[in-house]
Amino acid sequence: MDLSTEPKLACSSEYREQIDVLMRIPLFSVMPPEAIKVLACLSAREHFLANDFLFVQDEVDEHAYYIMEGEAELVLVTKKGEDKLRSYSQGDFIGGFSLLSAVKRLFTLRAKTDMHCLVVSTECFQKTLAQFPEIAQDILREVAASVYRWEYGRIYGHSGLCEECKRGVGVTLL
Amino acid sequence: MITKRPLLWWVKSSNLRLQILLLLIILVTVAARVLPLEMQKRIVNQAIRLQKLDLLLMYCAAYIVAILIAGGLKFVINIMQTRIGQQALADMRKDLYAHILTLPVTFFQKSSPGMVVSSLVTELATAGEFVGQAIAVPIGNTLTLLAFAGYMFYLDPLLAVLSISTYPFAVFLVPILQRKSNVANKARVDGTRKMSSLIDEVISGIHEVHGNGSYRIEERRFGLLVDELFKIRVVWIAYRGAAKVLNNFFQNLGPFILFLVGGYLAIHGLFDLGALVAFLSAYEKLYDPSKELMDFYQVYQDAHVGYARIMEYFDLEPGYAIEPTSRAPIALSGNIVASKVALSVDGGIQLLKQIDFELQSGERLALVGYSGSGKSTLARCISQLYPYSSGSIRLDGNEVSELTKMDLAYNMGVVSQSPFIFDGTMRANLLYAHEAIREHDGSRPDPTPSEISGMLRQVGLFADVLQFGLTTVLHAHEEDEFVEKIIRVRHNFQEHFGKALAGYFEFFDEEKFLQYSTTAANILFGSPNVSEFYADRLVTNPGFQEFLAEAQLKKPLIELGRDLAVSAVDVLGNMPPDEVFFRRSPLRPEELDLYRELAARVEGVRLRGIDPEDSLRLLDLALRYVPGRHKMIDLPSVVERLVLDARDAFREKIERERPEAVSFYHVSEYIHSLPILDNILFGKAKTDHPRAQERIHQSIMQFLEEEDLIDRIIEIGLHFNVGSKGERLSGGQKQKLAIARVLLKYPRILILDEATSALDNASQEQIQKLLDTDWKGKSTIISVAHRLDTIREYDRIAVMRAGKIVEMGTYDELMAKEGLLYGLIHGTKAGMQ
């Protein structure tokens, strides 16, 4: 096997682009080139129509999404109605957590415009990971780091913590 | 009871008329066997010696006629014997099976299915064979033996006595060996059984073997049994062989004496030559019947041993009578009273103690408690699956242990923890409980289609069955009206959603290369009706190869195949043969090794340097290529253009030469080789994403409803075959099916033993809601609950611990008391299982 991420000449430009995308995502960037090539081959480009759901609250979803084009909004459905939490756009990667273990979504993700995404499924990710057991530790470290980054951003971010939010911090202490 | 019948019972109860007829035929045969001997003597003594040709011809004619009759009758005897034997075997199997089915459930916890299988399938066969032979063989052969011996005495008493003098030895010695062989045979039967039980056990638990990697342990366990059986079989066969050899030896001793004494007598003119010839023949003919008798003895012994073992094994009273003898099955109102119910098992362990409760018709009781507290056991005692040791459980005043199985089947529905689904259609499984009652009561009306589909909706199986219906391939002669409606749905779907769903879906378009279909499908643009045009055969179809060459496609496709092989091997070359890795490659997991070598051979080689077999493989890969899915390689524009040209040319060629071979896609024609769904869609989904697929699904549902097709598709879906043990259904589907099949018989008493444990929350809530509303008051319900949030609405909740009900009352009462239930719910004590 060719150990560089540079695929054989015959490969399509779409495939190369998928390799580039995956290498830019922190979770995957720690993986060796051969693993990235396999993962790039197994990921799918999906199209979503505006207003369609990518995943739905309370339902198990076993995919992670990288937005290549378009916008999506994250919604929390409560008894009172819909809470629009935030928007995602081109270059955002959503749902890496579910690659580690399938979980029920706590939110709904809805396409705001027509979207193109690169979708990695939990099954493919896990099976690939199983072939490269030596990187599991790196992945774990990266996950911990991303949680840390998130909470650090929460606490020291430009807007600072609101009084109410202070009670909710501490995910890095789990 | 069948297990009390001795083996000879079957002989007595076999077709006696046939047996008597058989005896008569045997008598004629015996005569026909002796006659040739006399003819032999006369031919030598009279015809040859006196040189009379007419006598020779006459005797020869008599000889041949006798032989023909004997041969023909032997065949008739064989057939009759087989018929009697096989009939007996069939009866034995049916009766024993019926008996086994009624044995208590506890019996099957100890015995393995393998035992039952080998008993019914192989071991009974010898017993059947014996019954067939039981009259004809011993009587026929004894008579033949006596006739030959008598004839010999008639010729010369002294010689007869001398030549038969060896027989007593054989008669004494052979049975000794036989007895030893029988002992070994018993051991063999036991050994074989142990082996089949072990195989059965290990295969049923194969996931544990894989999970624990315990291959060596299982190999060793099996090996021990095999070696043991090996030794037993060698001994058994040795004894059998010895008996045979001994028999043969004594047999051959006869002629020796005959020649010695008979020859001496003949030389001295005391015995004529014709008589000697007839004597020798008679003696030789003694061999056959005596051998048959020996074999029969063997069959008898084997059958006797085997039969006794089987009957001994299953010699157990059924736990309950199957149906009442002098009355119709009871109709219960659903009142249940349990008092002082106890159950103890071997070793004095008490699984249930002092259980008391009372339920009025329509009331609901939830049993909760820790694992092992006896809640499932109690449910099983009420439903006759376990016999309780003391106390009483009364249904409308009738003691459960005295009711028949049919009484319960009429009034009670049981959904067990891991319900069993039988091989057959969805419909057959849904109606299983209902049909069981209908067997006894033909007047019971079948559920109407709307009742069935209503039930499917209630338990949440409707969408699943609809899906089964949509994925069904219709028979070619499905009514036109239905097919027309499907075509209308197809048009509507294209018209209304064609543009909107373009991102999710690709319609079959004659003018375009279909990105989500294989190259082969792009050329065919239709569905094959003959096997040589099936996708997997195309590459070996010489006509198609020729066509590809004519269309200038062969070379570009081989080149494409090479690119596909090289890139797939480059990326996936080190992956294990797991289907997941090959979803986005035309390679199949099992072909990886083959193509890895192939890729190394063909990379960078000029096309004409590739050997023909490799070229075929590459061509095969290119024909399987789906550009929209196998994205590592772009679709070469030259291939795209040539395939579109080839599509037209292929159609013309087929329509000219073999119009029946392929049904070409046409937007207004139904394609009979594709499922209904594919006929509606008339294209391929671009995506595997569940959300996108659901979106497509929703869109067609609307049109199906408009055309009033849903009921018809549900009906088709009900014919879906669920596979052996329901393997084609998910765990949740199986459980919902089990609930629906019990509810469809509308039981007055419903026993649910963790009946929703395999369901997701939403489905569980749906079922609970169904029980809380529609079913409320209609059935008395006893539910073994594994989740405490489902029991709030129950009339009574019994908390069990160590086989006792320790707390009972309504939800609010028990919560107010802050006792055990409160503890269970708030997790202050150890949680539920």
Side-chain angles (χ1 to χ4, degrees), chain A residues 85-114:
Chain A
L85 301 181
R86 69 177 88 102
S87 290
Y88 291 100
S89 57
Q90 193 172 342
D92 284 335
F93 178 65
I94 309 140
F97 245 70
S98 57
L99 293 183
L100 304 174
S101 161
V103 286
K104 270 192 196 167
R105 294 290 185 196
L106 299 172
F107 315 95
T108 293
L109 188 64
R110 188 168 50 206
K112 246 170 142 175
T113 63
D114 280 8

PDB file of all heavy atoms in Angstrom, chain A residues 85-114:
ATOM      1  N   LEU A  85     -31.042  27.151  18.657  1.00  0.00           N
ATOM      2  CA  LEU A  85     -29.848  27.359  19.476  1.00  0.00           C
ATOM      3  C   LEU A  85     -28.731  28.047  18.710  1.00  0.00           C
ATOM      4  O   LEU A  85     -28.172  29.020  19.146  1.00  0.00           O
ATOM      5  CB  LEU A  85     -29.344  26.020  20.020  1.00  0.00           C
ATOM      6  CG  LEU A  85     -30.351  25.258  20.884  1.00  0.00           C
ATOM      7  CD1 LEU A  85     -29.739  23.971  21.375  1.00  0.00           C
ATOM      8  CD2 LEU A  85     -30.780  26.111  22.073  1.00  0.00           C
ATOM      9  N   ARG A  86     -28.389  27.520  17.553  1.00  0.00           N
ATOM     10  CA  ARG A  86     -27.335  28.168  16.774  1.00  0.00           C
ATOM     11  C   ARG A  86     -27.325  27.632  15.359  1.00  0.00           C
ATOM     12  O   ARG A  86     -28.023  26.663  15.058  1.00  0.00           O
ATOM     13  CB  ARG A  86     -25.968  27.963  17.425  1.00  0.00           C
ATOM     14  CG  ARG A  86     -25.436  26.561  17.392  1.00  0.00           C
ATOM     15  CD  ARG A  86     -24.046  26.529  17.999  1.00  0.00           C
ATOM     16  NE  ARG A  86     -24.136  26.326  19.444  1.00  0.00           N
ATOM     17  CZ  ARG A  86     -23.903  25.149  20.033  1.00  0.00           C
ATOM     18  NH1 ARG A  86     -23.569  24.118  19.317  1.00  0.00           N
ATOM     19  NH2 ARG A  86     -23.998  25.029  21.327  1.00  0.00           N
ATOM     20  N   SER A  87     -26.529  28.270  14.524  1.00  0.00           N
ATOM     21  CA  SER A  87     -26.430  27.846  13.117  1.00  0.00           C
ATOM     22  C   SER A  87     -25.062  27.267  12.844  1.00  0.00           C
ATOM     23  O   SER A  87     -24.068  27.618  13.494  1.00  0.00           O
ATOM     24  CB  SER A  87     -26.633  29.045  12.191  1.00  0.00           C
ATOM     25  OG  SER A  87     -27.953  29.458  12.230  1.00  0.00           O
ATOM     26  N   TYR A  88     -25.035  26.365  11.898  1.00  0.00           N
ATOM     27  CA  TYR A  88     -23.753  25.840  11.413  1.00  0.00           C
ATOM     28  C   TYR A  88     -23.643  26.170   9.944  1.00  0.00           C
ATOM     29  O   TYR A  88     -24.651  26.225   9.234  1.00  0.00           O
ATOM     30  CB  TYR A  88     -23.706  24.325  11.589  1.00  0.00           C
ATOM     31  CG  TYR A  88     -23.629  23.877  13.032  1.00  0.00           C
ATOM     32  CD1 TYR A  88     -24.759  23.430  13.706  1.00  0.00           C
ATOM     33  CD2 TYR A  88     -22.404  23.893  13.702  1.00  0.00           C
ATOM     34  CE1 TYR A  88     -24.693  23.022  15.016  1.00  0.00           C
ATOM     35  CE2 TYR A  88     -22.328  23.477  15.030  1.00  0.00           C
ATOM     36  CZ  TYR A  88     -23.471  23.036  15.676  1.00  0.00           C
ATOM     37  OH  TYR A  88     -23.386  22.625  16.973  1.00  0.00           O
ATOM     38  N   SER A  89     -22.422  26.353   9.490  1.00  0.00           N
ATOM     39  CA  SER A  89     -22.275  26.630   8.059  1.00  0.00           C
ATOM     40  C   SER A  89     -21.039  25.930   7.523  1.00  0.00           C
ATOM     41  O   SER A  89     -20.383  25.159   8.235  1.00  0.00           O
ATOM     42  CB  SER A  89     -22.194  28.136   7.830  1.00  0.00           C
ATOM     43  OG  SER A  89     -21.109  28.643   8.583  1.00  0.00           O
ATOM     44  N   GLN A  90     -20.742  26.236   6.296  1.00  0.00           N
ATOM     45  CA  GLN A  90     -19.645  25.593   5.579  1.00  0.00           C
ATOM     46  C   GLN A  90     -18.387  25.454   6.444  1.00  0.00           C
ATOM     47  O   GLN A  90     -17.972  26.404   7.086  1.00  0.00           O
ATOM     48  CB  GLN A  90     -19.320  26.417   4.338  1.00  0.00           C
ATOM     49  CG  GLN A  90     -18.430  25.674   3.387  1.00  0.00           C
ATOM     50  CD  GLN A  90     -18.296  26.441   2.091  1.00  0.00           C
ATOM     51  OE1 GLN A  90     -19.099  27.323   1.788  1.00  0.00           O
ATOM     52  NE2 GLN A  90     -17.276  26.124   1.329  1.00  0.00           N
ATOM     53  N   GLY A  91     -17.812  24.260   6.478  1.00  0.00           N
ATOM     54  CA  GLY A  91     -16.584  24.050   7.235  1.00  0.00           C
ATOM     55  C   GLY A  91     -16.824  23.545   8.643  1.00  0.00           C
ATOM     56  O   GLY A  91     -15.896  23.144   9.327  1.00  0.00           O
ATOM     57  N   ASP A  92     -18.068  23.545   9.094  1.00  0.00           N
ATOM     58  CA  ASP A  92     -18.339  23.049  10.444  1.00  0.00           C
ATOM     59  C   ASP A  92     -18.477  21.537  10.445  1.00  0.00           C
ATOM     60  O   ASP A  92     -18.985  20.944   9.500  1.00  0.00           O
ATOM     61  CB  ASP A  92     -19.636  23.673  10.993  1.00  0.00           C
ATOM     62  CG  ASP A  92     -19.427  25.106  11.434  1.00  0.00           C
ATOM     63  OD1 ASP A  92     -18.260  25.435  11.764  1.00  0.00           O
ATOM     64  OD2 ASP A  92     -20.391  25.884  11.424  1.00  0.00           O
ATOM     65  N   PHE A  93     -17.999  20.946  11.527  1.00  0.00           N
ATOM     66  CA  PHE A  93     -18.089  19.487  11.691  1.00  0.00           C
ATOM     67  C   PHE A  93     -18.968  19.208  12.906  1.00  0.00           C
ATOM     68  O   PHE A  93     -18.727  19.707  13.987  1.00  0.00           O
ATOM     69  CB  PHE A  93     -16.690  18.914  11.884  1.00  0.00           C
ATOM     70  CG  PHE A  93     -16.682  17.432  12.119  1.00  0.00           C
ATOM     71  CD1 PHE A  93     -17.110  16.554  11.125  1.00  0.00           C
ATOM     72  CD2 PHE A  93     -16.253  16.906  13.329  1.00  0.00           C
ATOM     73  CE1 PHE A  93     -17.102  15.192  11.333  1.00  0.00           C
ATOM     74  CE2 PHE A  93     -16.238  15.539  13.549  1.00  0.00           C
ATOM     75  CZ  PHE A  93     -16.669  14.685  12.548  1.00  0.00           C
ATOM     76  N   ILE A  94     -20.011  18.419  12.724  1.00  0.00           N
ATOM     77  CA  ILE A  94     -21.008  18.219  13.775  1.00  0.00           C
ATOM     78  C   ILE A  94     -21.189  16.728  14.053  1.00  0.00           C
ATOM     79  O   ILE A  94     -21.310  15.941  13.124  1.00  0.00           O
ATOM     80  CB  ILE A  94     -22.383  18.778  13.345  1.00  0.00           C
ATOM     81  CG1 ILE A  94     -22.220  20.207  12.857  1.00  0.00           C
ATOM     82  CG2 ILE A  94     -23.387  18.693  14.491  1.00  0.00           C
ATOM     83  CD1 ILE A  94     -23.066  20.510  11.661  1.00  0.00           C
ATOM     84  N   GLY A  95     -21.185  16.387  15.314  1.00  0.00           N
ATOM     85  CA  GLY A  95     -21.589  15.027  15.665  1.00  0.00           C
ATOM     86  C   GLY A  95     -20.471  14.031  15.802  1.00  0.00           C
ATOM     87  O   GLY A  95     -20.698  12.832  15.765  1.00  0.00           O
ATOM     88  N   GLY A  96     -19.229  14.530  15.972  1.00  0.00           N
ATOM     89  CA  GLY A  96     -18.105  13.608  16.134  1.00  0.00           C
ATOM     90  C   GLY A  96     -18.285  12.651  17.305  1.00  0.00           C
ATOM     91  O   GLY A  96     -17.822  11.530  17.280  1.00  0.00           O
ATOM     92  N   PHE A  97     -19.005  13.137  18.316  1.00  0.00           N
ATOM     93  CA  PHE A  97     -19.231  12.309  19.501  1.00  0.00           C
ATOM     94  C   PHE A  97     -19.932  10.997  19.177  1.00  0.00           C
ATOM     95  O   PHE A  97     -19.617   9.953  19.725  1.00  0.00           O
ATOM     96  CB  PHE A  97     -20.093  13.098  20.497  1.00  0.00           C
ATOM     97  CG  PHE A  97     -19.361  13.415  21.751  1.00  0.00           C
ATOM     98  CD1 PHE A  97     -18.327  14.336  21.740  1.00  0.00           C
ATOM     99  CD2 PHE A  97     -19.697  12.790  22.936  1.00  0.00           C
ATOM    100  CE1 PHE A  97     -17.641  14.631  22.888  1.00  0.00           C
ATOM    101  CE2 PHE A  97     -19.007  13.075  24.097  1.00  0.00           C
ATOM    102  CZ  PHE A  97     -17.973  14.001  24.082  1.00  0.00           C
ATOM    103  N   SER A  98     -20.879  11.077  18.278  1.00  0.00           N
ATOM    104  CA  SER A  98     -21.667   9.878  17.992  1.00  0.00           C
ATOM    105  C   SER A  98     -20.842   8.840  17.238  1.00  0.00           C
ATOM    106  O   SER A  98     -21.247   7.696  17.097  1.00  0.00           O
ATOM    107  CB  SER A  98     -22.923  10.227  17.204  1.00  0.00           C
ATOM    108  OG  SER A  98     -22.559  10.876  16.024  1.00  0.00           O
ATOM    109  N   LEU A  99     -19.666   9.252  16.743  1.00  0.00           N
ATOM    110  CA  LEU A  99     -18.794   8.268  16.089  1.00  0.00           C
ATOM    111  C   LEU A  99     -18.203   7.309  17.130  1.00  0.00           C
ATOM    112  O   LEU A  99     -17.885   6.172  16.838  1.00  0.00           O
ATOM    113  CB  LEU A  99     -17.655   8.955  15.344  1.00  0.00           C
ATOM    114  CG  LEU A  99     -18.065   9.790  14.138  1.00  0.00           C
ATOM    115  CD1 LEU A  99     -16.834  10.347  13.460  1.00  0.00           C
ATOM    116  CD2 LEU A  99     -18.869   8.954  13.161  1.00  0.00           C
ATOM    117  N   LEU A 100     -18.041   7.832  18.353  1.00  0.00           N
ATOM    118  CA  LEU A 100     -17.446   6.996  19.396  1.00  0.00           C
ATOM    119  C   LEU A 100     -18.470   6.025  19.935  1.00  0.00           C
ATOM    120  O   LEU A 100     -18.178   4.883  20.229  1.00  0.00           O
ATOM    121  CB  LEU A 100     -16.914   7.881  20.524  1.00  0.00           C
ATOM    122  CG  LEU A 100     -15.904   8.935  20.044  1.00  0.00           C
ATOM    123  CD1 LEU A 100     -15.541   9.863  21.195  1.00  0.00           C
ATOM    124  CD2 LEU A 100     -14.667   8.259  19.492  1.00  0.00           C
ATOM    125  N   SER A 101     -19.701   6.485  20.051  1.00  0.00           N
ATOM    126  CA  SER A 101     -20.750   5.606  20.555  1.00  0.00           C
ATOM    127  C   SER A 101     -22.078   6.210  20.121  1.00  0.00           C
ATOM    128  O   SER A 101     -22.300   7.402  20.267  1.00  0.00           O
ATOM    129  CB  SER A 101     -20.655   5.546  22.075  1.00  0.00           C
ATOM    130  OG  SER A 101     -21.863   5.087  22.598  1.00  0.00           O
ATOM    131  N   ALA A 102     -22.934   5.365  19.568  1.00  0.00           N
ATOM    132  CA  ALA A 102     -24.217   5.873  19.095  1.00  0.00           C
ATOM    133  C   ALA A 102     -25.023   6.374  20.284  1.00  0.00           C
ATOM    134  O   ALA A 102     -25.172   5.668  21.273  1.00  0.00           O
ATOM    135  CB  ALA A 102     -24.976   4.772  18.375  1.00  0.00           C
ATOM    136  N   VAL A 103     -25.487   7.594  20.198  1.00  0.00           N
ATOM    137  CA  VAL A 103     -26.293   8.133  21.290  1.00  0.00           C
ATOM    138  C   VAL A 103     -27.581   8.709  20.712  1.00  0.00           C
ATOM    139  O   VAL A 103     -27.661   9.006  19.528  1.00  0.00           O
ATOM    140  CB  VAL A 103     -25.569   9.274  22.040  1.00  0.00           C
ATOM    141  CG1 VAL A 103     -24.478   8.719  22.909  1.00  0.00           C
ATOM    142  CG2 VAL A 103     -25.026  10.301  21.064  1.00  0.00           C
ATOM    143  N   LYS A 104     -28.551   8.851  21.587  1.00  0.00           N
ATOM    144  CA  LYS A 104     -29.765   9.538  21.154  1.00  0.00           C
ATOM    145  C   LYS A 104     -29.451  11.007  21.071  1.00  0.00           C
ATOM    146  O   LYS A 104     -28.843  11.572  21.980  1.00  0.00           O
ATOM    147  CB  LYS A 104     -30.862   9.311  22.190  1.00  0.00           C
ATOM    148  CG  LYS A 104     -31.656   8.103  21.890  1.00  0.00           C
ATOM    149  CD  LYS A 104     -32.875   8.080  22.745  1.00  0.00           C
ATOM    150  CE  LYS A 104     -33.433   6.687  22.705  1.00  0.00           C
ATOM    151  NZ  LYS A 104     -34.431   6.494  23.722  1.00  0.00           N
ATOM    152  N   ARG A 105     -29.876  11.634  19.991  1.00  0.00           N
ATOM    153  CA  ARG A 105     -29.599  13.051  19.846  1.00  0.00           C
ATOM    154  C   ARG A 105     -30.390  13.861  20.870  1.00  0.00           C
ATOM    155  O   ARG A 105     -31.563  13.574  21.133  1.00  0.00           O
ATOM    156  CB  ARG A 105     -29.997  13.507  18.439  1.00  0.00           C
ATOM    157  CG  ARG A 105     -29.152  12.880  17.351  1.00  0.00           C
ATOM    158  CD  ARG A 105     -27.756  13.441  17.393  1.00  0.00           C
ATOM    159  NE  ARG A 105     -26.974  12.927  16.278  1.00  0.00           N
ATOM    160  CZ  ARG A 105     -25.658  12.991  16.219  1.00  0.00           C
ATOM    161  NH1 ARG A 105     -24.972  13.545  17.217  1.00  0.00           N
ATOM    162  NH2 ARG A 105     -25.022  12.528  15.187  1.00  0.00           N
ATOM    163  N   LEU A 106     -29.727  14.870  21.428  1.00  0.00           N
ATOM    164  CA  LEU A 106     -30.413  15.741  22.376  1.00  0.00           C
ATOM    165  C   LEU A 106     -31.010  16.942  21.652  1.00  0.00           C
ATOM    166  O   LEU A 106     -31.724  17.741  22.229  1.00  0.00           O
ATOM    167  CB  LEU A 106     -29.436  16.214  23.450  1.00  0.00           C
ATOM    168  CG  LEU A 106     -28.832  15.075  24.286  1.00  0.00           C
ATOM    169  CD1 LEU A 106     -27.740  15.602  25.189  1.00  0.00           C
ATOM    170  CD2 LEU A 106     -29.919  14.409  25.111  1.00  0.00           C
ATOM    171  N   PHE A 107     -30.646  17.085  20.375  1.00  0.00           N
ATOM    172  CA  PHE A 107     -31.104  18.228  19.589  1.00  0.00           C
ATOM    173  C   PHE A 107     -31.580  17.742  18.229  1.00  0.00           C
ATOM    174  O   PHE A 107     -31.364  16.592  17.862  1.00  0.00           O
ATOM    175  CB  PHE A 107     -29.965  19.219  19.350  1.00  0.00           C
ATOM    176  CG  PHE A 107     -29.142  19.513  20.561  1.00  0.00           C
ATOM    177  CD1 PHE A 107     -27.964  18.817  20.799  1.00  0.00           C
ATOM    178  CD2 PHE A 107     -29.560  20.476  21.467  1.00  0.00           C
ATOM    179  CE1 PHE A 107     -27.213  19.085  21.926  1.00  0.00           C
ATOM    180  CE2 PHE A 107     -28.808  20.743  22.594  1.00  0.00           C
ATOM    181  CZ  PHE A 107     -27.625  20.048  22.835  1.00  0.00           C
ATOM    182  N   THR A 108     -32.198  18.667  17.526  1.00  0.00           N
ATOM    183  CA  THR A 108     -32.556  18.396  16.137  1.00  0.00           C
ATOM    184  C   THR A 108     -31.702  19.291  15.253  1.00  0.00           C
ATOM    185  O   THR A 108     -31.495  20.458  15.570  1.00  0.00           O
ATOM    186  CB  THR A 108     -34.051  18.718  15.907  1.00  0.00           C
ATOM    187  OG1 THR A 108     -34.815  17.781  16.641  1.00  0.00           O
ATOM    188  CG2 THR A 108     -34.409  18.638  14.437  1.00  0.00           C
ATOM    189  N   LEU A 109     -31.196  18.722  14.160  1.00  0.00           N
ATOM    190  CA  LEU A 109     -30.436  19.534  13.215  1.00  0.00           C
ATOM    191  C   LEU A 109     -31.225  19.600  11.913  1.00  0.00           C
ATOM    192  O   LEU A 109     -31.555  18.572  11.332  1.00  0.00           O
ATOM    193  CB  LEU A 109     -29.053  18.923  12.967  1.00  0.00           C
ATOM    194  CG  LEU A 109     -28.089  19.777  12.142  1.00  0.00           C
ATOM    195  CD1 LEU A 109     -27.738  21.068  12.866  1.00  0.00           C
ATOM    196  CD2 LEU A 109     -26.815  19.014  11.806  1.00  0.00           C
ATOM    197  N   ARG A 110     -31.530  20.840  11.500  1.00  0.00           N
ATOM    198  CA  ARG A 110     -32.371  21.016  10.323  1.00  0.00           C
ATOM    199  C   ARG A 110     -31.635  21.852   9.287  1.00  0.00           C
ATOM    200  O   ARG A 110     -30.953  22.817   9.632  1.00  0.00           O
ATOM    201  CB  ARG A 110     -33.669  21.708  10.733  1.00  0.00           C
ATOM    202  CG  ARG A 110     -34.694  21.778   9.615  1.00  0.00           C
ATOM    203  CD  ARG A 110     -36.038  22.198  10.138  1.00  0.00           C
ATOM    204  NE  ARG A 110     -35.928  23.395  10.948  1.00  0.00           N
ATOM    205  CZ  ARG A 110     -36.784  23.718  11.916  1.00  0.00           C
ATOM    206  NH1 ARG A 110     -37.791  22.932  12.199  1.00  0.00           N
ATOM    207  NH2 ARG A 110     -36.624  24.824  12.593  1.00  0.00           N
ATOM    208  N   ALA A 111     -31.777  21.433   8.041  1.00  0.00           N
ATOM    209  CA  ALA A 111     -31.120  22.195   6.972  1.00  0.00           C
ATOM    210  C   ALA A 111     -31.856  23.519   6.791  1.00  0.00           C
ATOM    211  O   ALA A 111     -33.078  23.546   6.705  1.00  0.00           O
ATOM    212  CB  ALA A 111     -31.133  21.392   5.679  1.00  0.00           C
ATOM    213  N   LYS A 112     -31.074  24.628   6.770  1.00  0.00           N
ATOM    214  CA  LYS A 112     -31.685  25.951   6.574  1.00  0.00           C
ATOM    215  C   LYS A 112     -31.786  26.236   5.083  1.00  0.00           C
ATOM    216  O   LYS A 112     -32.729  26.813   4.605  1.00  0.00           O
ATOM    217  CB  LYS A 112     -30.772  27.014   7.202  1.00  0.00           C
ATOM    218  CG  LYS A 112     -31.365  27.729   8.385  1.00  0.00           C
ATOM    219  CD  LYS A 112     -30.266  28.539   9.017  1.00  0.00           C
ATOM    220  CE  LYS A 112     -30.729  29.876   9.510  1.00  0.00           C
ATOM    221  NZ  LYS A 112     -29.610  30.553  10.218  1.00  0.00           N
ATOM    222  N   THR A 113     -30.744  25.799   4.381  1.00  0.00           N
ATOM    223  CA  THR A 113     -30.716  25.928   2.919  1.00  0.00           C
ATOM    224  C   THR A 113     -30.450  24.525   2.391  1.00  0.00           C
ATOM    225  O   THR A 113     -30.265  23.608   3.171  1.00  0.00           O
ATOM    226  CB  THR A 113     -29.552  26.830   2.483  1.00  0.00           C
ATOM    227  OG1 THR A 113     -28.334  26.162   2.897  1.00  0.00           O
ATOM    228  CG2 THR A 113     -29.618  28.179   3.141  1.00  0.00           C
ATOM    229  N   ASP A 114     -30.436  24.379   1.082  1.00  0.00           N
ATOM    230  CA  ASP A 114     -29.982  23.094   0.541  1.00  0.00           C
ATOM    231  C   ASP A 114     -28.534  22.898   0.973  1.00  0.00           C
ATOM    232  O   ASP A 114     -27.775  23.858   1.005  1.00  0.00           O
ATOM    233  CB  ASP A 114     -30.059  23.087  -0.991  1.00  0.00           C
ATOM    234  CG  ASP A 114     -31.488  22.828  -1.442  1.00  0.00           C
ATOM    235  OD1 ASP A 114     -32.384  22.819  -0.573  1.00  0.00           O
ATOM    236  OD2 ASP A 114     -31.700  22.639  -2.653  1.00  0.00           O
TER     237      ASP A 114
END
